[in-house]
Structure formats: structure tokens, C-alpha cells
Amino acid sequence: MREVTLNLTSHQSLTVANDALTSINYMVEGDSNLTIIAPKRTKGSIFLTINGNGNLNLRVSIESDSNWSMLIMNQSDLQLNINESFSLQRYASLQLAIGELSLGTHVKNSVYHLLEEGAVLNVRGASLIQSKLTASYSALHYKGNTSAQIDNYSIVLKGCEYTLDIIGNIHKAAKGAKTHQISRVMNFDEKPKTSVNPKLIIDENDVEASHAASVGQPDLNQVYYLQSRGLSRSESLKLITLGYLLPIIEVIDDENIKERLSLEITKKVSESCLM
Amino acid sequence: MSQLKIENLHVEIEGKEILRGVSLEVNSHEIHAIMGPNGNGKSTLLSAIMGHPKYEITQGTVTFDGEDLLSKGVDERARAGLFLGMQYPQEVSGVTNSDFLKAALNSRRETPIPLFSFIRLMEKAIGELQMKSDMAHRYVNDGFSGGEKKRNEILQMMLLQPKIAMLDEIDSGLDVDALKVVANVVNDMVAKSDVGMMIVSHYERFFHLIIPTHTHILIDGRIVMSSDASLVNRIDTEGYDWIAKETGVNIIKEDTVRPVVGSIGACAANEPRGPKNA
């Protein structure tokens, strides 16, 4: 697959090329807008890296009969507010991996619009909270036979804060829609400031909906097991953390992105203080 | 040559004394069979030596090659050359066997093991244990059958090459063929290295495949009888009641003893290690 690399800032709108990997390095400066369009009957991968400080409005449109993988890495170590809107048209499919691994304080509001029949969304988020993250993910099903699976795996380090609102909303006339959520949070603080709020709003019959949420501390039986093989407590916690976050790469098809994401997560976990 | 020396070891779990003065010496090339009815302290002995935080050592000493073991953390004991093949191996989802084993090997080395050497080492061990070739890429014990978990423990032992290995009911969950494969690997390791072994099992059949040099009977937290492999055969035919009669000890029935240690709890890893009165 050919690769296109773009360095962008301020207000931008772009249409991604078919059968290509589009890497976008985006710098937020003040109020910024970025629109990405994946045209009808296309496929490919998008790797979006976000840096900078301010407010970002991100719009992603996956048009009908398209099949895309996308990785969004938020690398801003500064204050950042992100409003994301994803629109999936008829039989459009999006595999979305989200990495929140930075030192920044972020507020994030993501809305996934499953506009037309057959739209399929699969989101996997990996967050290493090293400051404060307030995030909201909403899957809105407007039509029948749409499907959304949103999985979030998060590690909250000592002294950090995490709020996650996750909503599955099946509208009237969306028969056969499926909306599922899994939210797992591991706290490294004995007095964590973590809040996970799953919500399902169902306004139609003949649908599937579920949510699973868990918040806990590292399993010390696992720590003991790893230590009994010679790993220090710190190494054990890092391995368990990687095991928590790394499965995000399974969402991605592109081997190139997989490798980059895996390296990025490993690097961030190695640099962080888990004790 | 290595030596694990246990003297007058007393161990409590949640205030209840389980071991009441165990003394034992294990040297390189020796295979010590620890037998006894369920619930009399066999697994407690091995877990306490490894440093499980739920087990509180109230009295006694354990030295490894002359050095105090009880003041060391679990990982330090492992790096010193101690290994415990667990009865219930922990599942660690998301961590592949190969990443885990590489990290364990590297924890003992100054420089990381070269990737090619690691792969060769792992593939050889997987072959000898007749495990599935995808074992390296699967998450640690996640979704493994009982037998696969036990073989995975032996795989780790083979790669880590301990000086003293403790195996806690490693035979449970293994079918007859798998039992032979594991026994061959253990026998081969004892023959070709300086490892010493402590093996807990209450199934005599395992000790027909791995012939112990020493056999100890642990009842009510004490070693009440020690002999050679012939003791295994007698237990096979006559059970433990005759030992209780001869020695005057009471066999603890499993359902009357302490709560089973299932979870360490959130604060356990910070608990001090070593003898309570030290």
C-alpha cells in the first residue's frame, strides 16, 4: 500500500486517496478545523497524529461502501479540547483505534453518526492517563442494521483524573441495530479519581445493546506470578499495563501502523511511573 | 552446587498456623518428594519459600546457598535461582508468553538475550514438551487447558534453569501421555544440570516416573516421616493412616482447615516479608 504523508495545521479539508495509507501530522493552533473525507467505494488507512494547544473540530466522513482503518494518536502534552464527529454512510465500515498516551490535559467529545443502513463501527481506545482526561463517546444509530462496538481500556496513574461517558443511542426506525460497549479502567492510585458512566438509550425494538464496565486496581496475583519468575514489581506492572493497552493494535489491519502504535505504547509505558 | 536449607519453619495464614516447625535440606541433584493428605501444608511450604505475601513466617529460617532467603523479595528469590511451578498458574491477559519469558530471562542478564537465541531456546523447549507451536504467541495461560497451563510452567522452568525448582502438583491436569512427557523433561533436567527439586504431589503415579531420592510425609504442618522412594510405594498401597498411627499425629481433614488463599488483595504487595519476629 502506498503512503502519503501530510503536515497540516489550522483549517483544512482533505479527501483521502483510495488504497493508500494517509499519514497526517496535525498541529492544533488556537481554534482549528480538520475535515477528512473517505469517498464512496474506497478503502485504506489513515494515521492521524495530533499535537498542539487549543480547540480542534475534527470531522470524518466515511462514505458509502467504503472500508477504512484509522488510528488517532493524541500526542499533545498541552491543554487540548477535541470535538470529533464521525459520519458513516450506507455500508461504510470504520475500524478506529484511539491512543491517548500523552501528558496533556484533554477534553474530548466524540460522536459517531451511523447514518445509513449497514454502517459498521469498531472503536478500540487505549489510554494512559498521566494528567487529566474527560472523554465522551456516543454512538448514534439512525438506521437499521447498523453496528457499533466501542471498547476502551485505560490506565490511570497516581494523582491523575479520568471521566468517561459512553453512550449507545438507538433511534426510532433503527431496527436490527447493535450497540455494544466495553470500558475497563485500571487505577494505580489507591484513592482514584475515576468515573465511568455507561449509558444505553434505546428507542426501537428488535435491537442488541450491552455495556460492560469495570474499574479496579492491578491484580496482585498477577504481579506475584510475574515476580516469581524474576521480574521486579515495576517490570511486572509495566508488562501488565502493556498487556492491557497493546491489544488495541488488533483493530488495525495495516502492519505499518500496527508496528508504530505498538512502539509508541511501549515507549510511553516505559517512560511512565507506575509505582 | 546449591543448597536450600529450611529450619524450624512456622507459617501462618490469616492468624492460623499451618506449618509448625518444618526442617528440610535440598541439595543439587536431589529430588525430594513431599507427600501428605490434602490440607496439611504441602503447598503452603512451597509458597512460603517462594515468598507469597499471604503467608506469614512467624518462626524459623530459610537459607539458599548460605544466604538468608526470607529477607529477599519474591523476584530476588527467583533471580537467585529459585523456581515454583504453581498448582494454579495465573492468567495474564494481553501479555504473550514470549514477551513474558523474554522479560524473565532478561531480568537475570546484564544485556538482553539476542532475539534469535531466544527463539531457538523457546522453540526447542516447546518441541521437547510437545506443546502447540502457537504457544509463544498466546497470552500467558489465557484460555489454556489445565494441562497446557502445567506444561507452560515446565516450559518456564526449562528456560529459566533454576538451581532449586519446586513443583506444586504439576501433575494434576495432565493426562497419562503428558505426564510422561513432563516426567522425561524433569528427569533430563536433573541428569544434565545441577538442579535440586522439591515436588509436591498426592498422586503416587508421578513418583513412579520421577524417582525421588528422598520422600517426606507432611501431616498437620510437620514432616512426620522421611525415607527414600520405597515410602512412595507403601503409601501407594496403604495410604496415610498407618503413618498417623505410628507417629501419633492427627491428619487434618481439608474441609476443616484454613481459608484457601485465592486472592492476595490490594495491599498485599506492600506487606513486609521475612519472619514476623525478625
Side-chain angles (χ1 to χ4, degrees), chain B residues 20-35:
Chain B
R20 303 156 182 266
V22 172
S23 297
L24 189 63
E25 199 176 297
V26 181
N27 297 293
S28 293
H29 305 294
E30 293 177 353
I31 300 175
H32 291 248
I34 314 287
M35 301 184 74

Side-chain angles (χ1 to χ4, degrees), chain A residues 39-91:
Chain A
K40 284 180 185 176
R41 294 192 181 82
T42 55
K43 62 182 169 65
S45 302
I46 303 163
F47 180 13
L48 172 62
T49 307
I50 300 169
N51 272 294
N53 185 12
N55 303 306
L56 169 64
N57 285 310
L58 171 66
R59 299 197 178 279
V60 177
S61 177
I62 309 294
E63 296 187 347
S64 53
D65 303 305
S66 296
N67 185 2
W68 283 82
S69 290
M70 184 171 187
L71 166 62
I72 301 178
M73 286 293 296
N74 188 348
Q75 290 189 329
S76 166
D77 287 335
L78 304 167
Q79 176 94 32
L80 200 60
N81 299 322
I82 302 178
N83 278 306
E84 294 176 339
S85 171
F86 294 78
S87 300
L88 277 73
Q89 296 178 355
R90 191 177 165 84
Y91 292 102

Side-chain angles (χ1 to χ4, degrees), chain A residues 217 219-222 224-233 239 243 247 250, chain B residues 75 78-79 84 90-91 94-95 100 107-108 139 141 153 156 264-266 269:
Chain A
Q217 291 182 316
D219 182 342
L220 294 176
N221 291 297
Q222 291 182 339
Y224 166 69
Y225 186 68
L226 299 182
Q227 282 191 280
S228 78
R229 301 304 185 243
L231 280 72
S232 68
R233 181 173 158 76
L239 207 53
E250 288 163 14
Chain B
D75 53 326
R79 291 197 297 274
L84 172 58
Q90 191 66 39
E91 296 177 7
V95 178
F100 168 43
S107 73
R108 291 157 170 76
Y139 295 149
N141 295 323
E153 294 293 282
Q156 293 168 32
I264 295 176

